Amino acid sequence: MPWCVDWLADTPLEPHITDCISRDQATFQCWWSPGNFHNLSSPGALRLFYIKKDSPASEWKECPEYVHSNQECFFDNAHTSIWIPYCMQLRSQNNITYYNEEDCFTVENIVRPDPPVSLNWTLLNISPSGLNYDVMVNWEAPPSADVGAGWMRIEYEIQYKAINTTKWEALEMQPQTQQTIFGLHIGKEYEVHIRCRMQAFTKFGEFSDSIFIQVTEYTFPLTLVLVFGIVGILLLGMLIVISQQHRLMMILLPPVPAPKIKGIDPELLKKGKLDELNLILSGGGMGGLPTYATNFYQDEPCVEFIEVAVEDADTGEKEDNQGSDTQKLLDLSQPVSQHMNIGFSNVVSFPDDDSGRASCYDPDLPDQDTLLLMATLLPGQPEVGKRAMAAERGARPLVHTQTEGPQTWVNTDFYAQVSNVMPTGGVVLSPGQQLRIQESTSGAEEETQKKEKEHTGGEDSEEDKEKELQFQLLVVDCEGGRYAAEGNAWQIGGPHSAPMPGEGYQTIFPQPAETTPAATAEGSQSPYILPDSPQSQFFARVADYTVVQEVDSQHSLLLNPPPRQSPPPCLPQHPLKALPAMPVGYITPDLLGNLSP
Amino acid sequence: MPGNIRSVSFAWMVLVYLLFCSRRASVGAAPICANAQAGCHVLSLANLFDRVIQHSARTHSISNDLHSEFEQYFLPSKNHIGRVSRNCHTSSILTPNGKDNAQRMAREELTEVILKLLVAWRDPLWHFHQNMAHHHDFNNFSSNKALEMSDMVHELRKGVEKVAEKMQVLGIISNTVSSLASPEASLPSDSAEWRLMKDYNLLSCFRRDSNKVQNYLKILKCRIVPEHGC
C-alpha cells in the first residue's frame, strides 16, 4: 500500500501490516511483512493482534487464524464485524509492539470484491458502412459477493482496448451485469476485461481475465453467387422451353393438314361412321347442322373444309331459297353455289361465302375451277347418299338413288351429278325433281354452269310422310342445243297442278304438292335448273314424249298428246338410258301401265 | 436539483398514498385504495422497498462524497478512523454488526433500528448544514449537498415509516414497532455530545450510519420481498 511504504523509506523497515482486504464484507484477511527485520520472518516470530473498538472496554486479541505460509491472518465470519473499527498490531516474541494508528479500518471500507465471472460477448449489429460494429458484453457477479441477500451492492467497470495499443478505454460504472461497447472497428482485435467495487465506495477489486473480440469483414461469396446464378438461368431456360412447348413443336414439326368438314367431328369422318354422320348432317340429332356448330378446327390455321349449310324444315323458306338459288344459278353474276362453300377456318370472314376459294392462299378462283372442284367432290358422295337413302326410303329407292351424295343429308339445291358433257360445252346433269320454266337464261356460259338441284329426299319432312315422287324427264335436243325438259309430276294420292295452257308441253310442278293440305308434302323439292342453250327456248317442243297432265282419282295418268316432233337422230343419249343410275324423272315400268294414252 | 425533485416527488407520492389509500380493513393482501381512481396509485411493498433503498443509497453516496471532500481539504494524509469512531452519538444504538447478525435479527427489530438511526440523525444533519452555510470554508456545492443530505434523511425516515406501516398491514411484522413520534427520546442522555463533534466526525459517523441503513433495508427487502433486485 502506498501509504505504508513510501515515506518510510529512510528508516529501517520494521514489521508492518502490508494489507487488509475483505472480499465479501463478511470475512477479511490481513498480511504483514517483517520488513528489514529478517530475523523475524520465521513463522511465529511475529504475532498479530487486533482490537475491535465496539466498546470502550475492548481489548487486544490475537489473530484467530494464522496462515503462516502467507504471513496472513484470516478473520472469519464470527470475528468480523462491520461498521466497527479494527486496529492491527504486530508483536514480536519479546513483546515489542509494532503499531501504527493508520492500520485501523472498518471492514466495509476495505472491501474489494472478486472480479466478475463468465465474461462473454455477442455481436449486436454492424454499421451500414460496414466499418464499425457494436457488441454486447455480459457477465456474472462474483460468487463470493452475496448480491442475492442484498448484502453487497456492486457496480462494474468495463475496460477495453485494441490489442496493439496501451491505453485502456473505460466505460461508465453501472450495476447491471451487461453493457454495450459501441464503435468497434471491423478487422481489429480488442481486449476486454472487467472489475467491480462496492457502490459508493472507492476500492476496486481485481480485473478479470481478458476476453478478445474480433469481427472480420464479410467477404462476398463470389463463387456461391456464380453457382446460384447459373442454376437460376438454367431453371429459367427450362421453364421457357416447357411453357412454350407447343409453339416449338409447331415450328419444328408443323402439322399435316387433313380434310375436315366444318362442324363435324373428324373422328366421324375417319372410320366410316356414316350413320352418325348422316344423322348429324340430316339434322336428326340436333335439328340440323348448326351453322355455328362446334368448330373442331378452331385452332388450326388455314384448315380447308367444306361448309355444309342445312336448310330449315320450313318448306316455304326453302322455296324462297330455291328460288334464290335458282336465280343465282342462272345469274352469271351470282356466285355459283350458295350451299357449297369452301370455307376457311381462322381466316377473316369474307363478305360472301360463295367466293369459291379453293384454298387458304389462292386468290378467288374462277367459277369454272370451282365447278370442276365441285364435280370432283360429288362422286365421293353417292355412296353416302345411296346407303342413307336405302335405309330411309324403301319406297323410293330409284328416286333416291338418283339423287346421289348429299341428297339424303343435305337440303341443297345445287348438288347435281354431271352425267354427260355436250360437245358444245354444256353439261348434262342428273335431273332434279322440279323443272322451272322461268329459269331460262341465255348465254353459252350458262351451259357451263349447269346445275341441277337434286331432289332432296325430304329430310326435313320425313316424319309426316306420304311418299311423293316426282319425276322429271330431261331431254336434250341436239339440234341446236335446244332441249326441252318435261317435268312429270306424279303424285300419289294428291292433286296436281294443272298444266299450263297454251304451251307446247306442260310441266307439272310439284309445288302444289306442298301447298295442298292433303298432300303429303314431299318435303324438299329441289328446283331443277336446266342448262340453257344459246337459242334455248325453254318451250321447245318435244316429240314422242308424253306429258302427264293430270292424275285422275284412280291414279291413272292423263297425258296430253304432245305435238309430235321427231327427235333428231343425233339425239344424244337419252338421259334415261344413258344414265346408269336412274334419274329422278322417269316412269317406272310399273307405272307404265297406268299411263293412259 | 435532482435530489430535491426526487425528495419532493417522493413526499408527494407518500402524501397521495396516505390521502387516498389509507383505508385498511383487514390484514392481508387487500387493496389499499378504496376506489380505483387516477390519483390513487397502488404501490406494492416491493416497490416501496425499492424506492426507499434507492433513497438510502443516494443518501450514502452524498455522505461519502462530502466525507472525501472534507478529508481532502482538511485532513489529507491521515487515517482518522481509529479516533473518530468513538465519538459517534449513535454508538449507543444497538445495531447488528454483521451479515449474520442482521439476518438473524427479527424483522421488527431491524425495522426499529433503522428508524432509530434515521430519527437520530435528523437534527444533527440540519445543524451541520447550518454550520456549513456559515462556514465559508466549504464551497456552495458542498453546502448544497449538506442540505440535500439533511432533507433526504428526513424523507427517508418517512418512507421507512410507511414501509413499516405497510408491512404491519400485510401482517409481515407485528405491531410492536413504535411510531417514534418523539425523536428526542431515542437520543442518548448526553445528546449534547453531538454538538461538540467536529464536522469531520459527524460526516464520518453519518457515512457509516447511512451505510448501515442501506444495508439493513436491503436485507429486509430480500428477506420479505425477494422478487427482483436481490
Side-chain angles (χ1 to χ4, degrees), chain A residues 25 53 77 80-85 101-102 104-106 108-109 146-151 153 199-201, chain B residues 60-61 64 77-79 81-82 85 96-100 103 207-208 211-212 214-216 218-219 222 230:
Chain A
Q25 205 178 3
K53 296 184 177 179
N77 284 25
T80 305
S81 299
I82 319 296
W83 304 295
I84 293 179
E101 257 198 6
E102 294 185 358
C104 296
F105 55 85
T106 53
E108 72 272 14
N109 286 318
D146 193 354
V147 186
W151 183 240
R153 291 150 310 282
Q199 283 180 359
F201 286 93
Chain B
H60 174 66
S61 169
N64 202 27
S77 62
K78 281 204 169 190
N79 183 8
I81 283 193
S85 60
N97 290 323
K99 182 173 77 172
D100 299 335
Q103 283 179 335
R207 178 165 164 259
R208 184 194 72 181
N211 189 229
K212 275 186 185 177
Q214 186 182 9
N215 269 34
Y216 297 153
K218 192 81 179 187
I219 286 176
C222 288
C230 283

Side-chain angles (χ1 to χ4, degrees), chain A residues 71-339:
Chain A
Q71 289 177 328
E72 168 192 323
C73 179
F74 178 76
F75 293 81
D76 58 1
N77 284 25
H79 294 91
T80 305
S81 299
I82 319 296
W83 304 295
I84 293 179
Y86 279 84
C87 289
M88 301 288 155
Q89 72 177 203
L90 288 167
R91 294 183 190 173
S92 64
Q93 295 286 359
N94 46 7
N95 282 343
I96 300 174
T97 304
Y98 305 94
Y99 172 65
N100 192 346
E101 257 198 6
E102 294 185 358
D103 290 338
C104 296
F105 55 85
T106 53
V107 176
E108 72 272 14
N109 286 318
I110 60 165
V111 174
R112 292 181 187 270
D114 283 337
V117 296
S118 308
L119 187 63
N120 55 13
W121 66 279
T122 53
L123 179 67
L124 274 185
N125 51 36
I126 300 182
S127 69
S129 64
L131 298 175
N132 300 319
Y133 62 98
D134 306 331
V135 293
M136 171 74 79
V137 189
N138 50 57
W139 58 89
E140 289 176 8
S144 60
D146 193 354
V147 186
W151 183 240
M152 287 172 70
R153 291 150 310 282
I154 295 180
E155 54 189 16
Y156 304 92
E157 186 189 55
I158 289 258
Q159 290 185 3
Y160 69 96
K161 73 174 176 72
I163 288 205
N164 49 6
T165 60
T166 55
K167 186 174 180 299
W168 289 90
E169 297 280 343
L171 298 183
E172 190 179 348
M173 302 254 309
Q174 48 89 33
Q176 311 298 328
T177 56
Q178 63 180 19
Q179 198 162 14
T180 308
I181 305 180
F182 297 100
L184 296 178
H185 294 98
I186 294 269
K188 276 190 188 176
E189 191 173 3
Y190 291 89
E191 186 180 353
V192 177
H193 60 196
I194 188 173
R195 62 178 181 176
C196 60
R197 72 169 185 196
M198 290 243 295
Q199 283 180 359
F201 286 93
T202 56
K203 296 188 189 233
F204 276 103
E206 296 273 334
F207 275 109
S208 65
D209 292 335
S210 294
I211 60 169
F212 296 91
I213 298 177
Q214 188 175 22
V215 173
T216 54
E217 278 186 16
Y218 179 69
T219 57
F220 199 67
L222 194 62
T223 53
L224 206 62
V225 165
L226 272 178
V227 165
F228 274 112
I230 290 173
V231 167
I233 289 173
L234 278 176
L235 280 175
L236 201 63
M238 279 176 57
L239 268 175
I240 290 174
V241 166
I242 290 172
S243 66
Q244 301 293 328
Q245 213 176 19
H246 294 289
R247 279 203 188 171
L248 288 176
M249 290 300 290
M250 286 294 286
I251 291 170
L252 297 175
L253 303 170
V256 176
K260 301 166 181 67
I261 298 177
K262 184 176 182 181
I264 294 182
D265 188 9
E267 289 299 321
L268 291 179
L269 294 176
K270 276 184 188 176
K271 300 215 172 170
K273 299 176 186 173
L274 293 172
D275 294 337
E276 293 87 349
L277 198 62
N278 287 330
L279 201 65
I280 292 172
L281 290 171
S282 62
M286 301 173 296
L289 201 64
T291 47
Y292 292 101
T294 53
N295 196 346
F296 291 99
Y297 308 103
Q298 198 72 36
D299 307 323
E300 301 190 25
C302 279
V303 170
E304 298 185 9
F305 61 89
I306 303 166
E307 251 186 18
V308 174
V310 176
E311 288 191 359
D312 291 337
D314 187 6
T315 53
E317 183 182 341
K318 184 180 59 180
E319 187 72 40
D320 297 333
N321 289 339
Q322 291 176 357
S324 62
D325 293 336
T326 308
Q327 294 289 339
K328 288 177 186 176
L329 262 187
L330 297 179
D331 189 3
L332 292 177
S333 63
Q334 291 281 343
V336 175
S337 166
Q338 173 180 330
H339 299 279

Side-chain angles (χ1 to χ4, degrees), chain B residues 45-126:
Chain B
L45 187 61
N47 225 333
L48 276 174
F49 259 117
D50 285 339
R51 291 163 188 259
V52 169
I53 288 169
Q54 274 181 14
H55 223 77
S56 70
R58 176 84 179 131
T59 308
H60 174 66
S61 169
I62 294 175
S63 74
N64 202 27
D65 294 340
L66 271 178
H67 180 264
S68 357
E69 267 185 45
F70 208 88
E71 214 173 43
Q72 186 183 357
Y73 282 127
F74 295 95
L75 304 162
S77 62
K78 281 204 169 190
N79 183 8
H80 296 269
I81 283 193
R83 276 182 295 168
V84 166
S85 60
R86 273 181 285 222
N87 298 331
C88 284
H89 72 285
T90 54
S91 304
S92 56
I93 302 175
L94 286 175
T95 58
N97 290 323
K99 182 173 77 172
D100 299 335
N101 290 343
Q103 283 179 335
R104 277 190 232 115
M105 199 178 226
R107 300 173 192 165
E108 295 85 354
E109 265 187 76
L110 201 54
T111 311
E112 252 192 84
V113 161
I114 296 170
L115 283 172
K116 277 183 191 172
L117 283 172
L118 291 173
V119 164
W121 275 105
R122 191 188 63 183
D123 288 337
L125 283 178
W126 166 250

Side-chain angles (χ1 to χ4, degrees), chain A residues 385-386 388-390 393-405 407-408 417 430-434 452-458 467-472 488 490 492 522 524-526 579 581-588 591:
Chain A
K386 275 185 189 168
M389 296 312 295
R393 296 149 218 254
R396 299 177 292 171
L398 296 174
V399 174
H400 294 279
T401 51
Q402 299 281 345
T403 67
E404 301 174 351
Q407 166 175 344
T408 59
Q417 181 179 8
S430 303
Q433 284 278 318
Q434 189 174 357
E452 179 183 24
K453 298 186 181 176
E454 295 191 1
H455 165 63
T456 59
K467 313 291 172 76
E468 181 178 338
L469 292 177
Q470 294 178 347
F471 304 93
Q472 279 186 344
N488 296 331
W490 179 53
I492 303 175
E522 176 60 48
S524 60
Q525 291 151 10
S526 52
L579 297 172
M582 301 301 285
V584 177
Y586 71 101
I587 301 176
T588 59
L591 304 173

Side-chain angles (χ1 to χ4, degrees), chain A residues 314-578:
Chain A
D314 187 6
T315 53
E317 183 182 341
K318 184 180 59 180
E319 187 72 40
D320 297 333
N321 289 339
Q322 291 176 357
S324 62
D325 293 336
T326 308
Q327 294 289 339
K328 288 177 186 176
L329 262 187
L330 297 179
D331 189 3
L332 292 177
S333 63
Q334 291 281 343
V336 175
S337 166
Q338 173 180 330
H339 299 279
M340 182 167 169
N341 296 323
I342 299 177
F344 308 93
S345 65
N346 270 9
V347 180
V348 177
S349 63
F350 298 93
D352 55 281
D353 292 333
D354 302 335
S355 58
R357 284 183 177 78
S359 68
C360 293
Y361 310 104
D362 294 346
D364 289 8
L365 293 177
D367 297 333
Q368 191 161 13
D369 297 335
T370 310
L371 185 64
L372 288 174
L373 189 63
M374 289 186 294
T376 57
L377 285 171
L378 288 171
Q381 298 159 356
E383 188 180 63
V384 177
K386 275 185 189 168
R387 285 171 51 184
M389 296 312 295
E392 290 173 359
R393 296 149 218 254
R396 299 177 292 171
L398 296 174
V399 174
H400 294 279
T401 51
Q402 299 281 345
T403 67
E404 301 174 351
Q407 166 175 344
T408 59
W409 46 269
V410 71
N411 189 12
T412 64
D413 301 327
F414 287 90
Y415 285 100
Q417 181 179 8
V418 177
S419 58
N420 199 5
V421 179
M422 299 300 298
T424 55
V427 177
V428 177
L429 300 175
S430 303
Q433 284 278 318
Q434 189 174 357
L435 181 62
R436 301 257 181 184
I437 297 182
Q438 66 270 22
E439 301 157 356
S440 62
T441 56
S442 61
E445 58 272 23
E446 292 179 359
E447 291 184 353
T448 65
Q449 301 176 11
K450 252 190 307 193
K451 282 279 176 171
E452 179 183 24
K453 298 186 181 176
E454 295 191 1
H455 165 63
T456 59
E459 60 273 14
D460 290 334
S461 57
E462 300 170 7
E463 304 80 340
D464 45 49
K465 292 328 159 233
E466 217 170 313
K467 313 291 172 76
E468 181 178 338
L469 292 177
Q470 294 178 347
F471 304 93
Q472 279 186 344
L473 293 175
L474 169 63
V475 176
V476 178
D477 188 357
C478 80
E479 282 183 351
R482 296 180 299 165
Y483 63 93
E486 296 183 15
N488 296 331
W490 179 53
Q491 300 177 352
I492 303 175
H496 57 278
S497 62
M500 301 182 114
E503 296 176 356
Y505 65 97
Q506 294 173 345
T507 57
I508 300 179
F509 296 93
Q511 287 141 339
E514 301 164 1
T515 55
T516 54
T520 60
E522 176 60 48
S524 60
Q525 291 151 10
S526 52
Y528 174 55
I529 299 181
L530 301 175
D532 291 327
S533 57
Q535 50 289 73
S536 67
Q537 286 190 353
F538 205 71
F539 308 97
R541 305 194 295 180
V542 179
D544 292 340
Y545 285 95
T546 305
V547 175
V548 177
Q549 183 160 5
E550 59 178 293
V551 178
D552 60 5
S553 58
Q554 294 165 0
H555 304 289
S556 58
L557 297 174
L558 304 177
L559 301 176
N560 290 334
R564 297 203 59 87
Q565 188 177 11
S566 59
C570 65
L571 185 68
Q573 311 165 13
H574 194 278
L576 293 174
K577 299 173 187 170

